[in-house]
């Protein structure tokens, strides 16, 4: 019988890291873990029931919503509402922020920004998808929390994490004291500590970018991609290209094996495609906590002051030596105007 530590046991044990913690963040993380298990169950049987395919509606991004998108959004909102620790939710699936008005959450102090099912276009073809979340403490001290409590820099996050629904289902999160990974054991319905204190390798041999957009990339990114492809045994090049079109999957591989993931500006996404609040900031917090780096090519992702909820930014993230090499190419060939 192996001795395992469940997510719940770990959260409670780590609560001691925060002397003033009264358990609210622990309960909030527990609520997210519960919703993740419910979403996981539906994803795992999606091919068997009519939950795939489009619902005929589109989300704020103008993307065709898949039934699983809608389902996942509903489950995380329900869990966070019932749990009573969250006062505002900003979700990719809704234009406006959601104020949680319930007796139990009247004094709730946490804000959750979430992409309930990132990479959902992969659900029809059985490729990994993910949930990405970011947690802030409200700054306002009186009245209802509002938009300014949501538009906080990534450096203000109190926790961030992702769930990856892949060959196994994992929850990876940080509260600013390292990064820990938990694998769902379906036989007991618990996330169990499987990857304690994850550290991202300082370098790697995998670069991850949608090269279909190559012609529209900044010259610095083009030069970096060519650098990755040049033969040089002393630096293990040419690197390998891997891109699955699901941020959680591409970032998770980089975290475990080392590597770099990039979503630069393109013609169709002049500010980049990925959203600052619920994709780039949480992933940047996790990767920095694991010893990596996350930048737009010009500035640290976590230092950006958000202007609006669904703001997009370009991102270069992963092993620190690879990210710094890409930054050097950006500085030389695509200097900031
Ligand atoms: P493209 C999924 O839609 C997503 O937000 C990320 O998960 C993924 O890395 C990226 O967009 C894929 O975008 O334009 O390469 O299909």
């Amino acid at each position: 019988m192996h001795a395992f530590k469940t997510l719940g046991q770990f959260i409670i044990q780590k609560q001691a890291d925060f002397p003033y913690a009264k358990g609210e963040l622990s309960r909030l993380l527990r609520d997210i873990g519960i919703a993740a298990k419910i979403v996981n169950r539906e994803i795992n049987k999606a091919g068997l029931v009519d939950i795939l395919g489009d619902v005929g509606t589109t989300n704020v991004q103008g993307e065709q919503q898949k039934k699983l998108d809608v389902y996942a959004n509903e489950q995380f909102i329900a869990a966070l509402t019932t749990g009573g620790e969250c006062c505002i939710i900003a979700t990719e699936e809704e234009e406006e922020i959601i104020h949680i008005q319930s007796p139990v959450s009247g004094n709730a102090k946490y804000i959750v920004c979430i992409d309930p099912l990132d990479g959902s276009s992969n659900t029809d073809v059985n490729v990994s998808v993910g949930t990405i979340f970011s947690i802030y403490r409200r700054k306002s001290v009186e009245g209802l929390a509002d938009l300014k409590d949501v538009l906080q820099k990534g450096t203000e996050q109190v926790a961030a994490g992702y769930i990856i629904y892949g060959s196994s289902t994992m929850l990876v999160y940080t509260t600013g004291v390292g990064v820990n990974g938990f694998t769902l054991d379906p036989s007991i319905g618990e996330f169990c500590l499987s990857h304690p204190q994850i550290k991202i390798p300082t370098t790697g041999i995998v670069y991850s970018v949608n090269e279909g957009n190559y012609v529209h990339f900044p010259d610095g990114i083009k030069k970096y991609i060519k650098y990755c492809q040049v033969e040089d045994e002393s630096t293990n090049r040419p690197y390998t290209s891997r891109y699955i079109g699901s941020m959680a999957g591409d970032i998770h591989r980089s975290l475990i094996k080392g590597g770099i993931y990039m979503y630069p500006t393109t013609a169709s996404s002049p500010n980049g495609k990925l959203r600052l609040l619920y994709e780039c900031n949480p992933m940047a917090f996790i990767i920095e906590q694991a010893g990596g780096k996350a930048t737009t090519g010009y500035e640290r992702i976590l230092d950006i002051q958000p202007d609006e909820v669904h703001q997009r930014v370009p991102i270069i993230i992963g092993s620190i030596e690879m990210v710094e090499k890409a930054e050097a190419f950006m500085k030389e060939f695509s200097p900031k105007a």
Side-chain angles (χ1 to χ4, degrees):
M1 177 68 179
H2 69 280
F4 55 74
K5 185 168 291 176
T6 67
L7 175 64
Q9 290 166 331
F10 184 87
I11 290 170
I12 296 301
Q13 177 200 334
K14 288 299 176 186
Q15 189 173 300
D17 290 344
F18 302 91
Y20 304 106
K22 296 191 291 291
E24 294 105 324
L25 182 59
S26 298
R27 285 191 292 273
L28 182 54
L29 289 166
R30 173 210 63 197
D31 298 339
I32 290 172
I34 291 168
K37 287 191 274 190
I38 295 170
V39 170
N40 177 67
R41 182 186 62 198
E42 290 309 310
I43 287 174
N44 283 351
K45 66 182 183 185
L48 303 174
V49 296
D50 178 32
I51 198 163
L52 288 178
D54 298 341
V55 292
T57 58
T58 58
N59 64 15
V60 295
Q61 320 301 333
E63 294 165 343
Q64 195 65 34
Q65 274 186 299
K66 302 280 180 189
K67 286 181 181 175
L68 275 173
D69 269 353
V70 177
Y71 179 80
N73 191 47
E74 290 166 355
Q75 292 307 314
F76 281 100
I77 291 171
L80 292 169
T81 301
T82 310
E85 302 302 343
C86 172
C87 58
I88 288 183
I89 300 173
T91 167
E92 184 201 31
E93 299 299 330
E94 317 243 354
E95 176 65 35
E96 303 301 329
I97 59 176
I98 301 167
H99 291 269
I100 307 292
Q101 305 288 7
S102 73
V104 290
S105 60
N107 298 316
K109 62 182 178 185
Y110 290 109
I111 313 282
V112 175
C113 303
I114 188 165
D115 185 352
L117 202 62
D118 179 70
S120 57
S121 58
N122 284 319
T123 48
D124 295 345
V125 292
N126 212 16
V127 169
S128 301
V129 291
T131 296
I132 310 171
F133 65 89
S134 176
I135 301 174
Y136 292 89
R137 193 173 288 109
R138 66 176 288 183
K139 294 290 192 191
S140 55
V141 293
E142 292 176 349
L144 287 178
D146 64 17
L147 192 56
K148 71 176 180 305
D149 290 297
V150 177
L151 300 179
Q152 297 184 49
K153 288 183 178 183
T155 46
E156 298 301 307
Q157 293 174 91
V158 293
Y162 61 84
I163 297 99
I164 179 168
Y165 311 96
S167 47
S168 65
T169 296
M170 277 192 73
L171 186 151
V172 176
Y173 83 95
T174 183
T175 55
V177 191
V179 179
N180 292 282
F182 300 78
T183 300
L184 183 63
D185 179 342
S187 69
I188 59 171
E190 289 284 2
F191 282 105
C192 300
L193 182 63
S194 53
H195 297 67
Q197 286 301 317
I198 304 174
K199 291 295 177 197
I200 184 172
T202 56
T203 191
I205 59 169
V206 179
Y207 72 100
S208 185
V209 64
N210 182 343
E211 294 192 60
N213 297 319
Y214 180 86
V215 294
H216 301 299
F217 286 157
D219 288 343
I221 296 294
K222 290 179 178 175
K223 293 286 187 184
Y224 179 67
I225 290 172
K226 290 308 169 197
Y227 168 84
C228 293
Q229 294 169 345
V230 164
E231 186 96 30
D232 179 337
E233 275 191 32
S234 68
T235 54
N236 297 311
R237 289 180 288 145
Y239 295 154
T240 293
S241 173
R242 285 281 184 281
Y243 190 75
I244 63 169
S246 178
M247 189 187 197
D250 284 317
I251 297 279
H252 186 66
R253 182 195 56 248
S254 304
L255 175 65
I256 302 299
K257 300 277 190 186
I260 187 169
Y261 169 86
M262 301 178 283
Y263 208 105
T265 57
T266 67
S268 57
S269 304
N271 296 313
K273 175 183 180 184
L274 300 181
R275 295 79 165 181
L276 176 59
L277 282 187
Y278 41 78
E279 288 173 325
C280 297
N281 268 340
M283 290 304 198
F285 189 18
I286 291 165
I287 291 294
E288 284 199 6
Q289 279 290 311
K293 192 169 186 180
T295 172
T296 61
Y298 301 111
E299 63 181 312
R300 184 187 181 211
I301 292 286
L302 295 182
D303 287 338
I304 300 172
Q305 175 53 55
D307 298 321
E308 60 95 19
V309 173
H310 302 291
Q311 175 174 345
R312 298 172 190 266
V313 293
I315 186 166
I316 303 170
I317 183 171
S319 295
I320 190 162
E321 290 176 19
M322 299 178 84
V323 172
E324 289 180 345
K325 190 68 176 176
E327 281 183 303
F329 280 103
M330 285 296 285
K331 188 172 182 181
E332 182 176 356
F333 298 100
S334 299
K336 191 139 179 87

